[in-house]
């Protein structure tokens, strides 16, 4: 994420002990995961509303189509917006849609809200801010651009750490792209590489107003505690809000925690009431309540066979829901279950590594080969980052071999000429099943940064529908087909040589990348 990661300040806080939630997996089908709704809202939808995308080009074209057809809201949360021609085309699409909205009604109902990271979005003279300022200037009543600044970058640390270094302290890393009632969840940023030859994952949830409302409220909550971009390229906080790096850190984090947890808890309460009403209605032999949501479109709302659980991780604010759910999934996966786990940056937390090595399920872990790492071939210190990941991978593989777990825990490296690899997530296959019933998709990489430093969000998608399970299975297979199995001979290849200084430095700074 930064070309200066290996020179990050050596300020590693102690790793806290996390206790898994007091819940376990039940024994009946997909519903064994309903314990997750004790922590977050549960959204029941039809599998026909879920579409799995496979390519960056498909993702980019979908973004443009969705922007052009939006009538009420566009909400986009990303690490940053790039500055190339493809990114400018997205901005142009936003401008055209806003203009059409004004012409159609005189006063538009369309609102555009964009959430980016302050440090990454401010890098360089031409940056995310300068790309978006024309929209703010032309449509000041309709466009909001929020720039999240981590509260951990403050005081002398903020003064002394130059641009790019500062991104190692903490980032806004959530990736959600929302248009009216359609939601795209991904790990991809708004940058030309992610639209062309950087492999990621993308899921479209269509006609899902409750899910769209949730993520709109979540982005609004983070936006409220972020710096607001002004038309003259300055930034300011909302009136009455504690400043993230000038104000009291504890007070700021408490307010941020309260804002985000209010979104989670209020949505959870709404969904529980909906479940209760639907259950009561079905007990009376009526399905009228389950049909109300789609009467406007003239159709009956199908019974849900798929459940969406938003998992939020914001350790700076004391919110660790994603970590708790992920640890529980890894802990409770039964013998002969298969877990496919993929990450663009293989740097698992110690807790995740211990669970993988100490539990019963089979694991197939997909990671980037050095050649498809985003930093491969970079100049200077950044060019050593792929070697640091190779060193971490070799250490983990050695531990697998030491414990004689090579059959149960298998590493695979993604390799594709001319491409880089950024896909992350998890697919869970129950024992005896050839199809996954659960997937995790979103922004986390399962590493220290994702758990402890950055703002992250992903969703657990649980489905009983065979067609959707097949879609998810094909997605997994397509990614893993471009990989080779890691063995001891892998690390004997010349391109896996790791210099001594990289070996010495990596353990000290690996919690920053």
């Amino acid at each position: 994420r930064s070309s200066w990661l290996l020179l990050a300040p050596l300020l590693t806080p102690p790793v806290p002990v996390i206790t898994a939630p007091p819940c376990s997996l039940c024994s009946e089908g997909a519903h064994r995961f309903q314990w997750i709704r004790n922590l977050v809202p549960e959204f029941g939808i039809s599998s026909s509303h879920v579409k799995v995308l496979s390519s960056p080009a498909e993702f980019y074209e979908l973004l443009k189509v969705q922007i052009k057809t939006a009538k009420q809201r566009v909400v986009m949360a990303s690490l940053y917006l790039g500055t190339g021609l493809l990114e400018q085309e997205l901005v142009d699409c936003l401008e055209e849609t806003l203009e059409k909205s004004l012409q159609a009604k005189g006063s538009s109902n369309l609102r555009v809200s964009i959430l980016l990271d302050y440090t990454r979005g401010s890098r360089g003279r031409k940056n995310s801010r300068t790309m978006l300022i024309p929209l703010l200037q032309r449509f000041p009543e309709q466009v909001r651009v929020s720039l999240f600044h981590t509260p951990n970058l403050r005081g002398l640390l903020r003064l002394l750490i130059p641009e790019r270094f500062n991104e190692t302290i903490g980032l806004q890393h959530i990736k959600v792209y929302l248009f009216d009632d359609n939601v795209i969840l991904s790990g991809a940023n708004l940058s030309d590489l992610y639209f062309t030859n950087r492999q990621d994952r993308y899921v479209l949830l269509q006609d899902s107003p409750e899910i769209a409302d949730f993520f709109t409220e979540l982005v609004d909550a983070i936006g409220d505690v972020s710096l607001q971009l002004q038309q003259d390229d300055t930034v300011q906080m909302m009136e009455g809000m504690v400043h993230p790096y000038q104000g009291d850190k504890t007070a700021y984090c408490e307010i941020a925690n309260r804002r985000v947890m209010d979104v989670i808890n209020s949505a959870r309460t709404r969904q529980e009431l909906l479940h209760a009403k639907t259950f009561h209605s079905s007990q009376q032999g009526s399905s009228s309540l389950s049909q109300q949501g789609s009467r406007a479109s003239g159709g009956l709302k199908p019974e849900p066979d798929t459940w969406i659980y938003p998992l939020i991780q914001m350790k700076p604010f004391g919110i660790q829901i994603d970590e708790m759910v992920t640890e529980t999934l890894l802990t409770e996966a039964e013998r002969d279950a298969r877990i496919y786990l993929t990450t663009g940056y293989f740097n698992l937390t110690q807790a995740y590594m211990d669970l993988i090595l100490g539990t019963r399920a089979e694991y197939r872990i997909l990671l980037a080969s050095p050649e498809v790492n985003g930093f491969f071939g970079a100049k200077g210190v950044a060019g050593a980052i792929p070697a640091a990941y190779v060193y971490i991978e070799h250490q983990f593989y050695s531990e697998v071999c030491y414990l004689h777990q090579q059959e149960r825990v298998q590493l695979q490296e993604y390799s594709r000429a001319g491409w880089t690899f950024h896909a992350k997530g998890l697919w869970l296959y129950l024992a005896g099943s050839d199809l996954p019933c659960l997937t995790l998709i979103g922004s986390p990489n399962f590493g220290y940064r994702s758990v402890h430093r950055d703002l992250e969000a992903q969703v657990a998608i649980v489905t009983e529908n065979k067609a959707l399970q097949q879609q998810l299975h094909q997605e997994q297979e397509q990614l893993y087909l471009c990989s080779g199995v890691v063995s001891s001979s892998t690390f004997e290849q010349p391109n896996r040589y790791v210099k001594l200084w990289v070996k010495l430095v990596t353990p000290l700074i690996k919690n920053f990348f």
Side-chain angles (χ1 to χ4, degrees):
R1 296 175 186 166
S2 166
S3 59
W4 301 94
L5 290 170
L6 290 179
L7 294 181
L10 310 181
L11 302 171
T12 308
V15 179
V17 177
I18 305 300
T19 304
C23 51
S24 60
L25 305 185
C26 314
S27 57
E28 313 90 17
H31 286 286
R32 68 174 57 209
F33 303 106
Q34 284 189 334
W35 56 265
I36 304 176
R37 75 181 186 196
N38 295 328
L39 300 169
V40 298
E42 176 188 71
F43 301 99
I45 64 172
S46 168
S47 55
S48 62
H49 292 186
V50 184
K51 181 181 180 184
V52 180
L53 312 182
S54 61
S55 73
E58 192 178 6
F59 169 59
Y60 181 61
E61 291 305 317
L62 180 61
L63 286 176
K64 290 193 294 183
V65 169
Q66 290 292 315
I67 289 172
K68 289 176 180 178
T69 56
K71 298 292 188 290
Q72 301 295 326
R73 59 184 169 187
V74 172
V75 179
M76 306 175 83
S78 186
L79 174 61
Y80 69 105
L81 171 71
T83 58
L85 294 177
L86 295 181
E87 298 93 318
Q88 185 60 55
E89 192 173 342
L90 281 184
V91 175
D92 292 343
C93 286
L94 285 169
E95 184 177 7
E96 289 172 22
T97 302
L98 285 162
E99 183 62 42
K100 286 180 183 176
S101 177
L102 280 178
Q103 290 175 352
K105 296 183 180 180
S107 62
S108 173
N109 295 324
L110 179 65
R111 294 292 179 267
V112 174
S113 176
I114 299 173
L115 172 66
L116 306 172
D117 182 73
Y118 177 89
T119 52
R120 183 63 183 86
S122 303
R123 185 202 289 182
R125 294 183 66 181
K126 186 178 182 183
N127 52 40
S128 305
R129 292 161 65 163
T130 59
M131 292 286 288
L132 293 169
I133 283 172
L135 288 183
L136 280 173
Q137 292 172 339
R138 188 167 178 193
F139 308 98
E141 301 301 317
Q142 296 168 259
V143 177
R144 179 192 194 190
V145 178
S146 305
L147 302 169
F148 174 79
H149 191 294
T150 177
N152 293 327
L153 181 63
R154 57 175 46 234
L156 280 176
L157 195 64
R158 188 174 190 276
L159 290 173
L160 295 175
I161 301 182
E163 195 174 81
R164 299 193 184 213
F165 283 79
N166 55 17
E167 296 167 29
T168 65
I169 305 303
L171 295 167
Q172 192 306 111
H173 199 243
I174 296 169
K175 290 85 185 278
V176 174
Y177 308 110
L178 186 159
F179 314 90
D180 291 341
D181 292 338
N182 300 328
V183 183
I184 303 171
L185 294 153
S186 180
N189 292 304
L190 295 172
S191 175
D192 53 4
L193 291 175
Y194 296 89
F195 304 149
T196 52
N197 63 344
R198 190 156 172 75
Q199 183 63 57
D200 216 298
R201 297 180 65 206
Y202 335 84
V203 168
L204 169 64
L205 306 177
Q206 297 171 293
D207 190 23
S208 302
E210 293 92 353
I211 299 172
D213 288 347
F214 173 84
F215 279 107
T216 297
E217 292 171 15
L218 179 68
V219 172
D220 281 347
I222 302 167
D224 287 349
V225 298
S226 299
L227 295 156
Q228 307 300 305
L229 183 63
Q230 306 299 305
Q231 297 178 28
D232 60 356
D233 199 18
T234 60
V235 293
Q236 64 184 40
M237 291 299 291
M238 288 176 58
E239 189 175 350
M241 188 62 66
V242 178
H243 199 282
Y245 62 85
Q246 294 176 352
D248 180 78
K249 180 180 176 181
T250 301
Y252 173 81
C253 291
E254 286 177 353
I255 291 171
N257 173 287
R258 191 159 58 246
R259 288 285 287 109
V260 173
M261 289 308 300
D262 280 351
V263 171
I264 295 170
N265 292 329
S266 62
R268 187 165 160 255
T269 300
R270 286 197 303 269
Q271 293 307 113
E272 285 176 348
L273 288 171
L274 182 62
H275 291 313
K277 288 179 181 178
T278 304
F279 176 76
H280 179 68
S281 174
S282 64
Q283 290 294 93
Q284 294 178 334
S286 166
S287 60
S288 61
L289 277 167
S290 65
Q291 297 169 1
Q292 285 175 358
S294 62
R295 279 182 177 164
S297 58
L300 297 180
K301 188 173 183 179
E303 286 296 313
D305 58 7
T306 300
W307 294 269
I308 309 296
Y309 302 94
L311 308 179
I312 310 303
Q313 184 74 13
M314 301 178 181
K315 182 66 184 298
F317 304 157
I319 300 171
Q320 298 167 258
I321 296 170
D322 180 62
E323 179 184 8
M324 294 169 69
V325 171
T326 302
E327 286 190 359
T328 304
L329 288 172
L330 298 182
T331 300
E332 299 293 339
E334 73 267 39
R335 187 181 302 279
D336 296 327
R338 286 175 293 137
I339 292 179
Y340 289 78
L341 186 152
T342 178
T343 173
Y345 304 103
F346 184 73
N347 186 14
L348 301 178
T349 66
Q350 191 62 49
Y352 291 162
M353 285 193 289
D354 290 345
L355 287 170
I356 290 169
L357 294 173
T359 51
R360 300 159 292 180
E362 295 180 11
Y363 285 86
R364 301 292 179 263
I365 302 174
L366 182 63
L367 51 125
S369 67
E371 294 78 14
V372 299
N373 186 291
F375 294 102
F376 183 74
K379 296 179 181 179
V381 174
I385 292 176
Y389 283 114
V390 168
Y391 182 60
I392 293 169
E393 175 190 353
H394 195 183
Q395 285 185 311
F396 181 76
Y397 180 78
S398 298
E399 185 72 10
V400 171
C401 293
Y402 175 77
L403 297 171
H404 305 289
Q405 299 286 318
Q406 298 98 309
E407 291 299 314
R408 191 180 65 82
V409 180
Q410 190 175 95
L411 295 179
Q412 296 178 229
E413 288 186 351
Y414 186 94
S415 183
R416 187 176 180 185
W419 284 64
T420 55
F421 184 70
H422 196 251
K424 71 259 323 220
L426 177 153
W427 298 258
L428 173 60
Y429 294 68
L430 298 178
S433 176
D434 293 327
L435 298 174
C437 64
L438 177 148
T439 191
L440 301 182
I441 179 169
S443 63
N445 278 296
F446 305 104
Y448 188 93
R449 286 198 61 127
S450 291
V451 172
H452 296 283
R453 296 191 180 280
D454 298 340
L455 305 192
E456 305 278 10
Q458 64 180 340
V459 296
I461 302 176
V462 178
T463 185
E464 296 176 335
N465 180 270
K466 294 299 181 185
L468 179 53
Q469 289 179 353
Q470 188 66 43
Q471 272 196 78
L472 295 171
H473 176 66
Q474 289 173 350
E475 178 199 32
Q476 177 269 116
E477 279 197 323
Q478 184 177 354
L479 291 172
Y480 279 71
L481 277 173
C482 296
S483 71
V485 176
V486 172
S487 66
S488 55
S489 62
T490 301
F491 301 100
E492 296 170 4
Q493 299 171 15
N495 64 339
R496 304 309 167 98
Y497 173 73
V498 181
K499 295 178 181 178
L500 178 60
W501 74 269
V502 176
K503 293 181 180 180
L504 294 174
V505 170
T506 298
L508 298 173
I509 53 91
K510 70 177 185 177
N511 291 342
F512 290 88
F513 65 93

